[in-house]
Amino acid sequence: MEPRISLITLGVDDLERAVAFYEAMGLERNRKMTGGVAFFQMGGMILALWPREELVADVGEENYRAAHEAAAGHSGVALAYNTRSEDDVIVVLNRAAKAGGRIVKPAAHASWGGFQGYFSDTEGNLWEVAFNPDFPISDDGAISLPD
């Protein structure tokens, strides 16, 4: 397996509400592939929004339920968006709230030396927004682990 993530697919209860949220966050939906799914190019990765019932059908209902029961009601997943500055953390969190998301943890200095906060989107998916001075971000938005 090559070291990369190609797509992140979020199961959503209301596709149009979720699309509106991410478009309000500044993402642009791909207009060529729209049949019951929404794709957003995010650098070298794709964010997909797919109706939860379709995701469950694809995984298999028994398999989906077993995975969620093992996670004790939480997926154990948080997506993360790293920013170039502490001020950008606040800007992104404010934009998420204005777009209909919920601030889960307001921006604050973190024990690991950065600055972070959390929001959930309209479907309850958890996002960390962080400035980490140890993770350089290139001009094209790629993030790297320190050498």
Side-chain angles (χ1 to χ4, degrees):
M1 185 167 122
E2 296 177 40
R4 73 167 170 271
I5 296 174
S6 304
L7 279 93
I8 293 176
T9 301
L10 301 178
V12 300
D13 292 322
D14 186 328
L15 182 61
E16 292 313 311
R17 178 181 65 194
V19 167
F21 174 82
Y22 284 99
E23 287 180 335
M25 290 297 294
L27 302 182
E28 187 175 325
R29 183 179 184 179
N30 180 285
R31 299 293 174 202
K32 287 188 179 181
M33 302 177 72
T34 59
V37 65
F39 293 108
F40 300 89
Q41 189 70 51
M42 296 187 72
M45 187 183 314
I46 296 168
L47 175 66
L49 305 177
W50 199 17
R52 192 177 317 272
E53 66 269 9
E54 296 293 329
L55 177 60
V56 171
D58 195 50
V59 174
E61 190 167 341
E62 257 183 60
N63 299 332
Y64 185 85
R65 287 186 195 282
H68 279 274
E69 287 171 11
H74 184 273
S75 68
V77 174
L79 303 172
Y81 178 78
N82 279 44
T83 65
R84 299 178 191 278
S85 72
E86 289 184 7
D87 288 342
D88 288 346
V89 171
I90 295 168
V91 168
V92 172
L93 288 173
N94 287 340
R95 189 169 194 171
K98 185 176 179 182
R102 183 174 65 86
I103 303 303
V104 175
K105 179 182 176 186
H109 287 96
S111 61
W112 43 265
F115 189 71
Q116 60 157 184
Y118 283 84
F119 72 86
S120 61
D121 67 10
T122 57
E123 302 298 311
N125 297 297
L126 193 59
W127 282 82
E128 176 191 25
V129 182
F131 168 68
N132 186 334
D134 294 324
F135 285 2
I137 300 174
S138 68
D139 289 344
D140 70 356
I143 189 171
S144 301
L145 292 168
D147 291 331

